[in-house]
Each structure stands twice: as C-alpha cells, then as structure tokens.
Amino acid sequence: MMKEVSFFTYDNFMPHGMCYAWQADVLWTSVISDLVTALAYYSVTAAVIIFVKKRTDLPYPWFFILAGSVIFLACGTTHLLSAVVIWEPIYGVSAVAKAITAISSLATGVAIWYVLPFFLAFPSPALLEKKNIALLQSLINLEAIQRQLELSSAELEQAKEQAEQKSTELFQLSQTLETKVQQRTHALESSNDLLSKEVADHKQARKQLQQLRNYLRNIIDSMPSTLIGVDLDGMVTQWNTEAAKASGVSAKNAQGRSLPQVFPRFVSVMEGVRQSIQSRRQVSYPKQPHQRGGETRYEDVTIYPLVANGIEGVVIRLDDVTEQVRMEETMIQSEKMLSVGGLAAGMAHEINNPLAGMMQTANVMKNRLSGLQIEANQKAAQAAGTDMAAIHAFMEARGILRMATAINESGRRLADIVDNMLNFARKGDASFSSQNLAELLDKTVELATTDYDLKKQYDFKNIEIIRDYAEDLPLVPCEPAKIQQVLLNILRNGAQAMQQAGVLQPCFTLRTQHQPDKSDQGWVCIEVEDNGPGMDETTRKRVFEPFFTTKPVGVGTGLGLSVSYFIITENHHGEMRVTSEPGRGSRFIIRLPLGNREMR
C-alpha cells in the first residue's frame, strides 16, 4: 500500500545535496554562505528591535518591526533552512518559511508607500546643522537684547521720575482745561438749544412743504384733464396720472425727456409751445382729432406760459371733448332732422292740394269720356258731329281711358306716400295702440322707397323685398311712429351697406312670427335680413353702442341703432339683437311683447 502523503512529509524527497552530487567544495560553499547570511539577517533583526525599543519617540514603529524584524528574521530562517535541506529534505517547512517571507515582504512593499511621504519630510543633516546655527545665532541675539533691557530698565526708572513730574504738571493743566471745557460746554449747550429749535422748525417746514407738494400732486393727479409741464428746452417737468394713461408712459420714465419723444402726437403743438413762451400768452388748439382704439377722438389743447418766480416754461392741458363734439354733431343732426321733418310736412300739405285737383280732374275726364248714358255727354258729342260710342271706341283704341285710370292710381299712391310721411314726421302723443305689423312693415318699406342719394346713385327701389309674414298674426301694442323709425334705420343702414359693398342683387327679407309662451300672450318677432357684406364679431358686439359707426367722419352720427335699441328695450320692453358673419349678411331680430308691457 502507498503511504499517505502530507504537506510536511519528506520521505519521498531526496536531500538537496544530491543536486550538488555531494561535491564537497560546492556544497560547503553554499552551506557556509547560507549560514553567514542567516546570521547577518538575525543580527539586523536584533538591532532593529533594540533601536525601536530605545527610540520610543519614533513614529510608525510597526513599520520598522515589519521591515526590520519580520522580513530579516524570515529571510534568515529561509537561508538557514536552505542549509538544512542539503542533508534533510524538509521542503514543506522551507516552503512555509518562504511564504512567510513573501507575505511580510509584500506587506512591507505596500506599507512603505504609506510612510514614504513622512520619511521624505525628514530634514537632512545639512538642514539640521543650518537650523542649529540659526538657533545659536538667536541665542546670541537674545543675550544682547537682555543686556539692552538691563540698560533700558535704568533709563526707564529715570523716565518714570520725569513722567511723575510731568504728570503733576499735566494734572494742573487738566484742571485748567476742565474749567475752560465747562465754560465752553455751557456755551455750546446754549447754542445747541438754539440749533435744535432751528432744526425742529426746519423739519416742520420741510414736513409742511412735503405735505403741500403731496396735496398739489394729488390735486393734479385727480384732475380729469391731462397736465404736462415743459421747460424752455421742451423737456418734461410735470406729468400727471391722466398723461400717463393717455401716453402709456409713467411719470418716472417721462421726467427729463423730450415731449415729442414720450408723447409723439404732440409734435404738432411744439410750435404753439414756443409761441406761448415767447409771447407769454395762452395758446389754444380746440377739437384736435386723433385716432385711439380704431376710432376718432377729439381733444382741446391749451398751453399756459409759466413766467413767475424765475421759472420759465409752459403747462399743457388736454381735455377729451369727444362726447361734447359728438353731442354737438347730434344736436346739429337733430336740428336738421327737425327742419327736414317740418319741411316734409309743409311739402306734403302743398302737394296734397294740386294732387287732389289732379285726381278730381282725372275722374271727371274719365266720366265725360266713358259715360255713354250721361245726357250731357251725348249732347256734346252730337254738337261735335259724332256720338259717344265713337268717342268711347276712339278712347279705348288709343288707351286714353287706361291712362286716366293710371293717373288715378298714381295719384292715390302718391296720396298714401304723403299721408305716410305726415304720420311719420308728425309728433305723436307717445300713446300705444294695437297695430298690424304687416301693414306697418309695408308702410315703412314704402316710406324707404322715397330715399335716394344722387351722389352715390343709391335708390332703395332697386332693392328686392321678400315678405314672409305669418298668417293670423295678432295685433301688437306699440307706438307705430317709433317702430317705423326703428325699421327705417335698419333698412337704410342695410341698403347703404349693400350699395357700398357693390352687391349686384341687393335683397331684404322681412319676416314676422308669433312666439307664444306661458305668460300673457307671448311675443311677436320681426326679422329684417339682408344679403350685404355682414359684420365681424367686434363690430357686431358694438353695433348698439352710442356714437359707434363704421361710416366716414361726417357721414353718420352713430346714434341710429342705439336709439332704435332704446326704443325697443326701454319704450316697448322688448328685445333687439343682431346676428351676422362677414360675407353672409346681417339679421336684425326684434321681439315685442303682446301682453302687459309694464310687467315685462
């Protein structure tokens, strides 16, 4: 059987001397070298241990023990075992010694990098010697200083005696100075009291002045007018809240800047500023137009010169007079309408007289030319050498009787138009009456057909009227003249819009319908629709605002539809609205209550 083999079993190995072939000279040379080396390593180990033990102040002692003791001891043991295995093959023990040597060497190789910076920081002997020399020199200097201090001590004693003498003199001087200081302090306290009173008076004056400034600033800022102060160079010196709102520039940003720069539309009044400064008189620019938010606004510009208390410049005042201008235009327009209404009524009365004679004459002519059984006609025909049958045949052949009938029909139509004009122009008693809306619409259309504009070649007769009236529509309580006014405003505005847009086949559609509800008798609805250019959403929302108009300046007052809205909503307690889209025409919808209007 085979013997069990372990790490430390060496029966299977041969001694290392056999590798030397037991040659004595080589063998003993190797053995002696290993033994000497081992003794040297052991000696180094012992020296390191003694060195570390005696030098307790040495840093990192573990490193010296690791590097000196362990490594050298392990290395010595390795060389000792190398000599032993010449005769005894204890290679397992030798391998363990070598492993310990390798581990300790590896640990030292790693640790030396940790302690290397510290060892490199050790001063060299030359540096230590240099420092020792410097230290010695310092000691010599200290001895010299000590000797000087001993000399200075004697001088100090002498100076102390002199200082005591001077102290006595200084005390006497301080007593004198204290007396003078007390006297001066008393004088200063009196002066301070006067100065404090003056300072308090000055603070009070400044406070009052600041309050006055704030008061004046509040007055200026609370004024509804725009106030701007300008110096001789046209630079802004005063700028109230209204000026900031009108220009969009704050007072802080406007101060010290050129007026045309912060308020460009004032370029036109700078000449007036110079004239006011030179002549020292007020300069005014009334009703100056400008554009704001897509509409024309008017303002009065007044320039006041400043020539008092050494201050030169001007104050510019702006007042928005747009409403005043529009009110004046409205009053002028109202006066014109009153004049036109009176003129129309007078003309209607003047037309009625010849119209009645014309229609009466036409009826008499027809009777005398077509009355075959009238005795007077027969006698006149026989006296003329003919008879009534021949005359009647001639009249029929030439269409004279038809013409006489046309004269009567035209006369009646003209009489209806005149009567409609009189009713519309006549001031009523604002009383409600039950009206047939279909007839009221037809009368309004007939009245609108008399509207003709020679400058724009605008004729209402050229517009097609489509009537879509509901049957059995109940009578509506209303003021007929005011309802006609509302409808006439809508028709005229629509006709003008279609003419300006160049609509080739202008058309109005008039609708009426009954809308019953749970209370009273419901509502009657009137719709007036055109095929004109329509309105955008912004215009549609503002169409009932007073003074809003899309027409050029001087053409419209912007009151027609706002007055119409007031008539429907306030006078008749109804509703009025408009729907429209650009390019698709407009539709005005009016709803009038059938029941008790006071309850609406």
Side-chain angles (χ1 to χ4, degrees):
M1 289 180 64
M2 291 184 64
K3 292 176 68 176
E4 186 178 352
V5 179
S6 67
F7 185 82
F8 296 101
T9 300
Y10 55 89
D11 292 340
N12 296 329
F13 297 108
M14 61 181 181
H16 196 244
M18 296 183 70
C19 295
Y20 296 109
W22 302 109
Q23 186 177 341
D25 53 351
V26 176
L27 187 147
W28 286 110
T29 300
S30 176
V31 169
I32 293 171
S33 298
D34 285 332
L35 292 175
V36 171
T37 302
L39 290 174
Y41 279 134
Y42 290 149
S43 176
V44 171
T45 301
V48 169
I49 292 173
I50 293 171
F51 176 76
V52 172
K53 187 175 182 180
K54 289 185 176 297
R55 288 293 302 273
T56 57
D57 62 331
L58 197 66
Y60 304 110
W62 56 268
F63 177 76
F64 288 95
I65 293 176
L66 178 66
S69 301
V70 177
I71 293 178
F72 287 108
L73 180 61
C75 290
T77 303
T78 301
H79 283 279
L80 181 62
L81 290 174
S82 295
V84 172
V85 295
I86 295 294
W87 291 279
E88 291 294 332
I90 52 174
Y91 295 113
V93 176
S94 177
V96 171
K98 289 181 180 181
I100 293 173
T101 302
I103 292 171
S104 59
S105 299
L106 178 63
T108 304
V110 173
I112 194 170
W113 292 105
Y114 175 73
V115 299
L116 182 61
F118 173 77
F119 292 147
L120 291 176
F122 279 172
S124 65
L127 181 60
L128 290 175
E129 183 178 359
K130 185 177 179 181
K131 288 185 177 182
N132 287 334
I133 294 172
L135 183 60
L136 181 61
Q137 184 65 37
S138 298
L139 291 175
I140 295 172
N141 292 336
L142 286 174
E143 290 177 356
I145 291 172
Q146 186 175 4
R147 288 193 297 271
Q148 290 178 358
L149 287 174
E150 292 174 354
L151 294 174
S152 299
S153 177
E155 294 175 354
L156 184 62
E157 288 294 332
Q158 184 180 359
K160 182 178 179 181
E161 294 176 358
Q162 294 177 355
E164 289 177 354
Q165 184 181 358
K166 295 290 184 182
S167 176
T168 303
E169 295 176 357
L170 184 61
F171 177 74
Q172 295 174 351
L173 182 61
S174 66
Q175 292 294 325
T176 304
L177 183 60
E178 185 177 355
T179 302
K180 291 183 178 180
V181 167
Q182 289 177 354
Q183 295 174 352
R184 183 60 178 168
T185 300
H186 180 70
L188 287 174
E189 286 177 353
S190 300
S191 299
N192 284 337
D193 291 340
L194 293 174
L195 183 60
S196 297
K197 186 176 183 302
E198 291 180 359
V199 169
D201 293 342
H202 181 66
K203 287 183 177 179
Q204 183 64 23
R206 286 185 61 185
K207 182 178 179 181
Q208 292 176 353
L209 179 60
Q210 186 62 38
Q211 289 176 348
L212 179 59
R213 286 180 177 175
N214 293 337
Y215 182 66
L216 291 176
R217 164 58 64 182
N218 290 335
I219 291 176
I220 292 173
D221 286 340
S222 63
M223 292 184 66
S225 302
T226 298
L227 292 179
I228 302 173
V230 180
D231 62 14
L232 292 175
D233 298 324
M235 299 298 176
V236 174
T237 59
Q238 187 64 252
W239 193 267
N240 74 341
T241 303
E242 287 299 320
K245 291 180 181 178
S247 64
V249 180
S250 65
K252 181 179 179 180
N253 294 330
Q255 292 283 351
R257 296 174 64 186
S258 171
L259 178 60
Q261 183 180 3
V262 294
F263 219 146
R265 77 167 184 260
F266 268 16
V267 175
S268 59
V269 303
M270 289 306 295
E271 181 62 29
V273 171
R274 287 186 285 270
Q275 290 179 5
S276 179
I277 294 175
Q278 293 173 359
S279 64
R280 297 187 176 182
R281 293 183 179 180
Q282 174 182 322
V283 177
S284 300
Y285 295 93
K287 299 178 184 178
Q288 295 295 305
H290 67 277
Q291 294 294 320
R292 186 199 305 171
E295 65 174 336
T296 302
R297 309 285 296 180
Y298 297 89
E299 59 190 11
D300 286 347
V301 182
T302 308
I303 304 172
Y304 303 93
L306 295 176
V307 293
N309 299 324
I311 300 175
E312 294 189 4
V314 297
V315 172
I316 304 174
R317 173 181 170 183
L318 275 75
D319 294 294
D320 192 327
V321 293
T322 304
E323 301 302 326
Q324 177 184 341
V325 171
R326 289 175 174 173
M327 191 60 66
E328 290 174 356
E329 292 177 353
T330 302
M331 292 176 65
I332 294 172
Q333 185 69 17
S334 298
E335 291 296 329
K336 288 182 179 179
M337 293 301 295
L338 289 174
S339 299
V340 170
L343 181 62
M347 290 178 62
H349 282 295
E350 292 298 326
I351 291 173
N352 269 340
N353 293 329
L355 179 62
M358 181 185 70
M359 292 178 63
Q360 184 177 4
T361 302
N363 284 328
V364 172
M365 287 177 58
K366 184 177 180 181
N367 289 333
R368 292 186 178 183
L369 293 175
S370 60
L372 299 179
Q373 305 301 323
I374 297 175
E375 184 178 354
N377 290 346
Q378 295 176 355
K379 290 181 178 179
Q382 292 175 0
T386 183
D387 55 25
M388 286 303 299
I391 293 174
H392 186 271
F394 174 78
M395 294 299 174
E396 287 288 349
R398 298 296 297 165
I400 295 175
L401 296 178
R402 179 177 52 80
M403 294 179 185
T405 302
I407 291 174
N408 281 327
E409 291 177 355
S410 298
R412 281 194 298 272
R413 184 171 177 274
L414 182 57
D416 291 339
I417 292 174
V418 170
D419 185 60
N420 201 5
M421 289 178 62
L422 282 172
N423 291 334
F424 185 72
R426 186 181 297 120
K427 293 182 179 179
D429 56 1
S431 61
F432 275 61
S433 61
S434 297
Q435 297 290 324
N436 185 320
L437 282 186
E439 294 180 359
L440 201 61
L441 279 168
D442 289 339
K443 287 182 179 180
T444 305
V445 171
E446 188 174 0
L447 188 62
T449 56
T450 61
D451 193 10
Y452 182 79
D453 192 331
L454 292 175
K455 293 182 179 179
K456 298 181 180 179
Q457 296 299 315
Y458 152 65
D459 190 352
F460 194 90
K461 295 177 182 179
N462 296 328
I463 301 176
E464 181 184 1
I465 305 297
I466 300 176
R467 294 171 173 81
D468 184 10
Y469 299 157
E471 297 182 359
D472 299 329
L473 195 68
L475 298 179
V476 181
C478 64
E479 295 182 55
K482 289 187 177 180
I483 298 299
Q484 275 190 292
Q485 180 181 350
V486 172
L487 296 172
L488 195 59
N489 280 331
I490 296 174
L491 292 172
R492 282 179 174 172
N493 284 340
Q496 291 173 3
M498 289 188 288
Q499 186 273 333
Q500 291 175 0
V503 178
L504 297 179
Q505 295 180 343
C507 174
F508 277 116
T509 301
L510 309 180
R511 299 186 184 91
T512 61
Q513 56 179 317
H514 181 207
Q515 297 177 344
D517 60 10
K518 296 181 180 180
S519 61
D520 299 326
Q521 301 176 23
W523 303 76
V524 168
C525 179
I526 305 173
E527 293 185 5
V528 181
E529 183 178 357
D530 62 49
N531 63 342
M535 296 176 281
D536 56 33
E537 186 63 15
T538 301
T539 303
R540 188 194 68 80
K541 289 181 178 179
R542 300 187 59 192
V543 74
F544 295 124
E545 291 183 11
F547 304 110
F548 175 76
T549 179
T550 58
K551 299 174 184 177
V553 177
V555 177
T557 63
L559 288 173
L561 289 178
S562 64
V563 171
S564 300
Y565 185 83
F566 181 84
I567 290 173
I568 296 299
T569 59
E570 297 296 329
N571 291 357
H572 291 79
H573 301 275
E575 298 175 1
M576 184 174 181
R577 58 188 177 90
V578 60
T579 61
S580 181
E581 293 182 16
R584 303 187 65 176
S586 302
R587 177 188 298 178
F588 285 84
I589 303 169
I590 300 171
R591 298 179 75 215
L592 298 175
L594 288 172
N596 186 358
R597 64 186 182 92
E598 298 297 337
M599 297 297 292
R600 296 282 176 179

